[in-house]
């Protein structure tokens, strides 16, 4: 079967700095795939390149079997890839509902209201506070809003960049539970996380990115048991 997303020998550079080198991985329909790795390893760069915000220096990115590496970002979004960015980047002066509607701007169908209800079912606090300005929200609530906004484009592939960053343990657990629930509702997810333990516990497949390269891969379960992963990312000697 053709994978939903296939990243082939991808290299990305910022001028002379090569941030990603020869990385390959794939995401099958319905899976949660996670990229783990230290700060600055290149994970965000990979997501931004898939979204069309950066261009590959070499390699290719295929979505449903067709190359998207040269497409503009809005075209990639309308093909069904949405990203919830690191640091959330919600619009603080806009209300919850307005932020969510922005996520749906490229859609031409009439199910937008129903999908907003779906976001409110997943995150009731967003429904209760739909008319409030998003800037007043806590970090966890803003993270819910960023995920909700990405869901509003009805993506076939949802990419989440560090969804647990800066959140309390309870809120982190809520976000990971939501990621599982989204998968069970049929969304395919590419997850970037520094919280390797929680991410691998959830993932069907994981890739370790180190200094711009993919150094290890396996099922989430196998990587969790791997001594090298445990030593590097879970702080075990
Ligand atoms: P983090 O979790 O800290 O975001 P990451 O694994 O997502 O880390 P990237 O943000 O992709 O890593 O960064 C990869 C490398 O590219 C780092 O060395 C970083 O300093 C460099 N880099 C990132 N953005 C830029 C930029 N706009 N210009 C120059 N170098 C950059």
């Amino acid at each position: 079967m053709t994978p939903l997303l296939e990243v082939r020998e991808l290299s990305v550079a910022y001028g002379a700095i090569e941030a990603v080198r020869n990385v390959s991985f794939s995401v099958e329909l319905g899976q949660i795939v996670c990229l783990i790795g230290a700060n600055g390893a290149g994970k965000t760069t990979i997501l931004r390149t898939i979204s069309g915000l950066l261009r590959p220096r070499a390699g290719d990115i295929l979505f449903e079997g067709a190359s998207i590496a040269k497409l503009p970002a809005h075209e990639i979004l309308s093909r069904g890839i949405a990203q919830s960015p690191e640091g959330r980047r919600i619009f603080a002066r806009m209300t919850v509902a307005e932020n969510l509607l922005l996520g749906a701007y490229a859609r031409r169908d009439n199910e937008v209201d129903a999908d907003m209800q779906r976001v409110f079912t997943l995150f009731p606090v967003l429904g209760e506070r739909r008319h409030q300005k998003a800037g007043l929200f806590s970090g966890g609530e803003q993270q819910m809003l960023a995920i909700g906004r990405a869901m509003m484009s009805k993506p076939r592939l949802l990419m989440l960049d560090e969804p647990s960053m800066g959140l309390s343990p309870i809120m982190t657990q809520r976000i990971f539970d939501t990621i599982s629930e989204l998968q069970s509702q049929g969304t395919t997810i590419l997850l970037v996380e520094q919280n390797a333990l929680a991410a691998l516990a959830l993932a069907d497949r994981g890739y370790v990115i180190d200094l711009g390269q993919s150094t290890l891969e396996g099922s989430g379960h196998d990587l969790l048991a791997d001594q090298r992963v445990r030593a590097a990312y879970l702080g075990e000697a």
Side-chain angles (χ1 to χ4, degrees):
M1 206 171 71
T2 312
L4 183 63
L5 179 81
E6 193 181 351
V7 171
R8 280 191 194 155
E9 298 176 0
L10 181 70
S11 297
V12 190
Y14 299 98
I17 304 166
E18 202 167 45
V20 173
R21 277 177 287 160
N22 208 24
V23 167
S24 298
F25 65 92
S26 56
V27 182
E28 305 286 340
L29 191 69
Q31 277 186 333
I32 295 176
V33 171
C34 81
L35 308 179
I36 62 168
N39 254 337
K43 305 174 303 294
T44 296
T45 302
I46 294 170
L47 293 196
R48 289 175 59 80
T49 309
I50 296 168
S51 288
L53 301 170
L54 296 169
R55 290 281 163 234
R57 173 159 288 183
D60 206 354
I61 301 166
L62 293 98
F63 187 60
E64 298 179 310
S67 177
I68 57 167
K70 293 194 167 72
L71 296 180
H74 66 88
E75 174 67 26
I76 292 171
L77 176 67
S78 59
R79 288 204 186 187
I81 301 182
Q83 182 176 349
S84 170
E86 184 175 4
R88 315 190 261 271
R89 311 228 174 139
I90 52 125
F91 296 94
R93 292 182 189 192
M94 295 172 76
T95 65
V96 167
E98 287 166 343
N99 268 281
L100 290 175
L101 282 176
L102 274 180
Y105 84 93
R107 288 175 55 176
R108 297 279 172 267
D109 61 278
N110 51 18
E111 284 171 27
V112 172
D113 285 346
D115 284 332
M116 197 180 295
Q117 286 308 321
R118 196 174 146 233
V119 173
F120 293 156
T121 305
L122 206 54
F123 300 119
V125 66
L126 296 184
E128 288 156 20
R129 303 180 66 180
R130 74 183 78 183
H131 300 304
Q132 292 185 19
K133 296 227 183 332
L136 302 170
F137 281 31
S138 72
E141 288 161 347
Q142 291 191 10
Q143 186 61 61
M144 293 175 194
L145 183 54
I147 296 174
R149 184 179 58 190
M151 285 170 59
M152 287 298 291
S153 68
K154 232 181 182 173
R156 310 213 347 99
L157 176 68
L158 176 62
M159 301 196 294
L160 304 174
D161 195 352
E162 303 278 7
S164 77
M165 191 167 59
L167 302 187
S168 67
I170 290 175
M171 198 49 81
T172 297
Q173 191 52 51
R174 281 279 318 271
I175 296 294
F176 280 106
D177 290 347
T178 304
I179 294 170
S180 269
E181 194 168 335
L182 285 171
Q183 180 189 34
S184 63
Q185 292 173 5
T187 308
T188 306
I189 292 161
L190 177 58
L191 173 65
V192 159
E193 258 296 335
Q194 286 195 35
N195 187 340
L197 180 62
L200 289 174
L202 209 67
D204 297 292
R205 207 155 178 81
Y207 294 82
V208 178
I209 309 292
D210 191 15
L211 295 175
Q213 290 180 292
S214 165
T215 52
L216 269 178
E217 65 170 279
S219 68
H221 183 266
D222 287 351
L223 286 180
L224 260 184
D226 190 293
Q227 270 317 314
R228 290 163 293 182
V229 172
R230 300 194 75 85
Y233 300 102
L234 307 178
E236 292 183 8

Short mmCIF file of all heavy atoms in Angstrom, two decimals, residues 1-6 25-29 62-65:
data_model
loop_
_atom_site.label_atom_id
_atom_site.label_comp_id
_atom_site.label_asym_id
_atom_site.label_seq_id
_atom_site.Cartn_x
_atom_site.Cartn_y
_atom_site.Cartn_z
N MET A 1 0.84 -1.20 0.00
CA MET A 1 0.00 0.00 0.00
C MET A 1 0.88 1.25 0.00
O MET A 1 1.89 1.30 0.69
CB MET A 1 -0.88 0.00 1.25
CG MET A 1 -2.16 0.77 1.08
SD MET A 1 -3.30 0.54 2.47
CE MET A 1 -2.48 1.44 3.76
N THR A 2 0.48 2.27 -0.77
CA THR A 2 1.23 3.53 -0.78
C THR A 2 1.07 4.22 0.58
O THR A 2 -0.06 4.37 1.05
CB THR A 2 0.65 4.48 -1.85
OG1 THR A 2 0.50 3.75 -3.05
CG2 THR A 2 1.55 5.68 -2.07
N PRO A 3 2.17 4.64 1.21
CA PRO A 3 2.01 5.37 2.48
C PRO A 3 1.28 6.69 2.24
O PRO A 3 1.32 7.22 1.13
CB PRO A 3 3.45 5.63 2.95
CG PRO A 3 4.35 4.94 2.00
CD PRO A 3 3.57 4.52 0.80
N LEU A 4 0.64 7.21 3.29
CA LEU A 4 -0.02 8.51 3.15
C LEU A 4 1.05 9.58 2.89
O LEU A 4 0.92 10.41 2.01
CB LEU A 4 -0.80 8.84 4.43
CG LEU A 4 -1.60 10.13 4.41
CD1 LEU A 4 -2.69 10.09 3.35
CD2 LEU A 4 -2.21 10.42 5.77
N LEU A 5 2.13 9.50 3.69
CA LEU A 5 3.23 10.46 3.53
C LEU A 5 4.54 9.69 3.43
O LEU A 5 4.77 8.75 4.20
CB LEU A 5 3.31 11.39 4.75
CG LEU A 5 4.45 12.41 4.70
CD1 LEU A 5 4.07 13.60 3.83
CD2 LEU A 5 4.83 12.89 6.10
N GLU A 6 5.36 10.10 2.48
CA GLU A 6 6.68 9.48 2.39
C GLU A 6 7.73 10.58 2.22
O GLU A 6 7.65 11.39 1.29
CB GLU A 6 6.72 8.52 1.19
CG GLU A 6 7.93 7.64 1.23
CD GLU A 6 8.01 6.70 0.03
OE1 GLU A 6 7.05 6.61 -0.76
OE2 GLU A 6 9.07 6.07 -0.11
N PHE A 25 11.48 8.76 6.05
CA PHE A 25 10.51 8.05 6.90
C PHE A 25 9.17 8.06 6.20
O PHE A 25 8.97 8.79 5.22
CB PHE A 25 10.41 8.66 8.31
CG PHE A 25 9.87 10.06 8.36
CD1 PHE A 25 8.52 10.31 8.53
CD2 PHE A 25 10.72 11.16 8.24
CE1 PHE A 25 8.02 11.60 8.58
CE2 PHE A 25 10.23 12.46 8.30
CZ PHE A 25 8.87 12.67 8.46
N SER A 26 8.27 7.21 6.68
CA SER A 26 6.94 7.25 6.09
C SER A 26 5.87 7.12 7.15
O SER A 26 6.12 6.66 8.28
CB SER A 26 6.80 6.16 5.02
OG SER A 26 7.10 4.93 5.56
N VAL A 27 4.68 7.58 6.78
CA VAL A 27 3.53 7.55 7.68
C VAL A 27 2.40 6.84 6.94
O VAL A 27 1.98 7.29 5.87
CB VAL A 27 3.06 8.99 8.05
CG1 VAL A 27 1.89 8.93 9.03
CG2 VAL A 27 4.21 9.80 8.63
N GLU A 28 1.95 5.71 7.50
CA GLU A 28 0.85 4.98 6.87
C GLU A 28 -0.48 5.58 7.34
O GLU A 28 -0.57 6.12 8.45
CB GLU A 28 0.87 3.49 7.30
CG GLU A 28 2.18 2.76 7.03
CD GLU A 28 2.40 2.44 5.56
OE1 GLU A 28 1.41 2.43 4.79
OE2 GLU A 28 3.57 2.22 5.19
N LEU A 29 -1.48 5.41 6.50
CA LEU A 29 -2.83 5.90 6.84
C LEU A 29 -3.26 5.36 8.21
O LEU A 29 -3.14 4.17 8.48
CB LEU A 29 -3.79 5.41 5.75
CG LEU A 29 -5.18 6.00 5.77
CD1 LEU A 29 -5.15 7.48 5.40
CD2 LEU A 29 -6.10 5.25 4.81
N LEU A 62 6.41 12.87 -0.68
CA LEU A 62 5.25 12.40 -1.42
C LEU A 62 4.05 12.31 -0.50
O LEU A 62 4.17 11.80 0.62
CB LEU A 62 5.51 11.03 -2.05
CG LEU A 62 6.56 11.06 -3.16
CD1 LEU A 62 7.90 10.63 -2.59
CD2 LEU A 62 6.17 10.19 -4.31
N PHE A 63 2.91 12.81 -0.97
CA PHE A 63 1.67 12.70 -0.22
C PHE A 63 0.69 11.95 -1.10
O PHE A 63 0.47 12.34 -2.25
CB PHE A 63 1.14 14.09 0.13
CG PHE A 63 -0.05 14.07 1.06
CD1 PHE A 63 0.04 13.50 2.32
CD2 PHE A 63 -1.27 14.62 0.67
CE1 PHE A 63 -1.05 13.48 3.19
CE2 PHE A 63 -2.36 14.60 1.53
CZ PHE A 63 -2.25 14.03 2.79
N GLU A 64 0.17 10.85 -0.61
CA GLU A 64 -0.69 9.96 -1.40
C GLU A 64 -0.03 9.63 -2.74
O GLU A 64 -0.68 9.62 -3.78
CB GLU A 64 -2.07 10.61 -1.59
CG GLU A 64 -2.76 10.84 -0.26
CD GLU A 64 -4.10 11.51 -0.37
OE1 GLU A 64 -4.21 12.55 -1.05
OE2 GLU A 64 -5.05 10.99 0.23
N GLY A 65 1.30 9.42 -2.70
CA GLY A 65 2.02 8.97 -3.88
C GLY A 65 2.50 10.07 -4.82
O GLY A 65 3.25 9.79 -5.75
#
